[in-house]
Amino acid sequence: MDAKQEQELIQKVQNKERLTQEEGEALYELDLYTLGELADTIRKEKYGKKSYFNINRHINPTNVCADVCKFCAYSATRKNPNQYTLTHEQILDIATNSIEKGAKELHIVSAHNPKDGVEWYMGAFRKIREKFPDVHIKSMTAAEIDFITREYGYSYDEVLDMMIENGVDSMPGGGAEIFDEEVREYLCKGKVTSEQWLEIHEKWHNRGKESNATMLFGHVETRAHRIDHMLRLRDLQDRTGGFNAFIPLVYQKENNYLKNCNFPSGQEVLKTYAIARIVLDNIPNIKAYWATSTINLALIAQEFGANDLDGTIEKEAIQSAAGAKSANGMELDDFIALIKNSGFVPVERDSLYNELKVYN
Ligand code: V47
């Protein structure tokens, strides 16, 4: 890109014009500070200095998995032979304990366990809902839903309806990985396809429900693949408006089967957050999920387009299995202090981004 093209691109972003695949890729060529400034301007217009988080609890009820994703260190395999599956009672105990301590959201994500049947999933939701009518249940990635349809012979519509009947409020963004078919085939052959992932979210949105979208990056994909991923989400969001947040997940490299990766530098991670803020002009929240970016970079990401840091997490098994320092979440007071000390105003939100408490 020569200087004139660079100026034209900057102008286009400032004019809030929609960017193409090529222009999205070209954003990566801007220097970090120019790109950060562009993203920060958009973020400030929407949120000022507010930075959002929620008090949540991640629950990962089983690591027994029928699928084999090269990047995953969580599922029980040769590298991680310790299988576990929680009973409904154990799940309910964890939920009770966390809710009593203040959790307002349960983020429940499982591996794809072929032994348990669909009632194992739905019964857990029902029991939580019966005991806690107000807690927000964010559960069932599109990958889990697709697995259930393949394993137990349901349609997507049937599973989505069962989720609603049994108390699920919103869907998390997991299982999206990278939409490019060739990379996906290499990373997680046999799992939900990109088209199916998008179809499931579209069906969920068409039921008046909201969801998130992730992108796993920093492994074997290229910058072009990341932009392609974002544009496929932008297209769907134009039709449904059902995505709340986009979450770029930085790949963690321990204890798995994915080798020869292009691990991203801190600059590349920050650029990716900033580009997400610019390219995804119709997804309101960009989440710097500190479990994968590190809390340090997540705090800096607040100046590069991110307006949300997920939450206190409490316990986390997926990313921490692959090396992230997120196994025990973060104390609320520490979380608030870190956001404040980085110059932002912590705002506790609910799962659908309604403001609950501003910590001035
Ligand atoms: O889909 C697996 C990812 C995801 C690794 O919706 C890995 O608010 C990094 O989706 N390195 C599950 N990531 C977690 C997830 C999520 C997290 C936080 C918030 C939300 C939300 C959703 O974890 C999987 C997969 O892409 N993952 N292995 C790894 N080695």
Side-chain angles (χ1 to χ4, degrees):
M1 189 164 50
D2 62 28
K4 182 163 172 280
Q5 287 167 323
E6 192 170 303
Q7 266 322 302
E8 281 169 3
L9 182 60
I10 291 171
Q11 195 63 57
K12 215 170 161 181
V13 175
Q14 287 169 337
N15 293 345
K16 301 207 168 52
E17 290 173 49
R18 273 230 152 150
L19 301 189
T20 62
Q21 169 79 32
E22 292 67 33
E23 288 163 342
E25 289 173 38
L27 286 176
Y28 274 106
E29 292 174 40
L30 296 179
D31 73 83
L32 182 65
Y33 298 107
T34 305
L35 189 58
E37 184 75 35
L38 291 171
D40 192 43
T41 304
I42 302 171
R43 182 219 193 276
K44 273 199 205 118
E45 277 172 16
K46 286 178 187 264
Y47 305 106
K49 279 289 190 185
K50 286 179 175 174
S51 223
Y52 294 82
F53 71 95
N54 71 355
I55 304 179
N56 61 351
R57 162 76 203 227
H58 283 224
I59 306 178
N60 303 116
T62 181
N63 67 351
V64 178
C65 201
D67 284 304
V68 187
C69 301
K70 287 195 172 72
F71 52 78
C72 185
Y74 165 66
S75 71
T77 58
R78 262 188 299 124
K79 291 205 181 195
N80 172 21
N82 304 314
Q83 295 194 356
Y84 73 84
T85 301
L86 303 181
T87 62
H88 286 171
E89 286 59 41
Q90 287 171 315
I91 297 170
L92 196 60
D93 279 353
I94 294 171
T96 303
N97 187 275
S98 298
I99 293 164
E100 281 170 356
K101 285 196 291 190
K104 298 189 177 75
E105 172 189 283
L106 302 175
H107 178 163
I108 307 175
V109 174
S110 289
H112 308 158
N113 189 335
K115 296 180 187 156
D116 291 322
V118 86
E119 175 53 20
W120 178 75
Y121 292 86
M122 299 303 155
F125 302 140
R126 203 167 52 248
K127 286 183 180 154
I128 295 170
R129 180 54 72 229
E130 278 163 11
K131 189 164 177 191
F132 301 106
D134 297 330
V135 75
H136 185 102
I137 303 178
K138 180 166 82 177
S139 190
M140 300 292 279
T141 65
E144 287 173 86
I145 294 168
D146 177 69
F147 164 72
I148 288 179
T149 62
R150 283 188 278 126
E151 188 68 24
Y152 303 113
Y154 292 93
S155 67
Y156 291 153
D157 288 312
E158 285 170 329
V159 179
L160 295 171
D161 289 340
M162 275 192 275
M163 285 162 55
I164 294 174
E165 279 158 27
N166 288 286
V168 176
D169 294 296
S170 69
M171 274 174 63
E177 322 313 355
I178 276 282
F179 288 146
D180 176 83
E181 279 70 17
E182 216 172 300
V183 179
R184 201 174 180 83
E185 172 88 358
Y186 175 70
L187 288 181
C188 50
K189 189 172 178 202
K191 200 163 90 165
V192 63
T193 66
S194 309
E195 216 177 295
Q196 289 165 334
W197 191 98
L198 291 163
E199 181 190 347
I200 292 167
H201 280 261
E202 181 159 17
K203 283 177 178 289
W204 182 249
H205 297 169
N206 287 343
R207 284 164 167 74
K209 297 287 187 182
E210 294 170 36
S211 68
N212 290 336
T214 56
M215 173 179 79
L216 182 66
F217 77 107
H219 40 86
V220 297
E221 89 296 349
T222 63
R223 289 171 166 180
H225 293 137
R226 294 177 207 155
I227 303 295
D228 166 64
H229 189 96
M230 293 181 206
L231 294 189
R232 294 197 209 191
L233 290 171
R234 192 177 73 180
D235 279 354
L236 177 55
Q237 181 75 340
D238 275 346
R239 292 205 299 282
T240 67
F243 287 120
N244 264 329
F246 177 65
I247 309 149
L249 298 170
V250 185
Y251 171 60
Q252 310 292 302
K253 62 180 186 314
E254 308 292 333
N255 309 318
N256 62 22
Y257 295 95
L258 187 55
K259 300 292 162 233
N260 305 321
C261 293
N262 313 311
F263 300 119
S265 62
Q267 283 206 27
E268 188 75 6
V269 173
L270 291 175
K271 280 189 170 187
T272 304
Y273 286 124
I275 290 171
R277 169 58 72 200
I278 295 167
V279 168
L280 290 173
D281 55 7
N282 55 3
I283 298 189
N285 300 291
I286 303 298
K287 186 187 283 193
Y289 181 50
W290 62 267
T292 68
S293 63
T294 72
I295 187 66
N296 299 353
L297 215 51
L299 293 170
I300 301 171
Q302 297 172 112
E303 296 179 35
F304 287 79
N307 66 301
D308 184 56
L309 301 181
D310 195 75
T312 44
I313 299 178
E314 200 181 329
K315 286 266 181 273
E316 194 283 318
I318 299 176
Q319 271 83 22
S320 54
K325 303 281 172 272
S326 50
N328 295 316
M330 203 173 316
E331 291 298 325
L332 180 61
D333 289 349
D334 295 340
F335 205 58
I336 291 167
L338 283 167
I339 298 173
K340 275 191 177 172
N341 292 341
S342 62
F344 286 81
V345 179
V347 179
E348 185 193 337
R349 59 164 175 83
D350 68 13
S351 305
L352 303 179
Y353 287 85
N354 299 300
E355 290 188 10
L356 299 180
K357 184 168 176 185
V358 180
Y359 291 82
N360 278 306

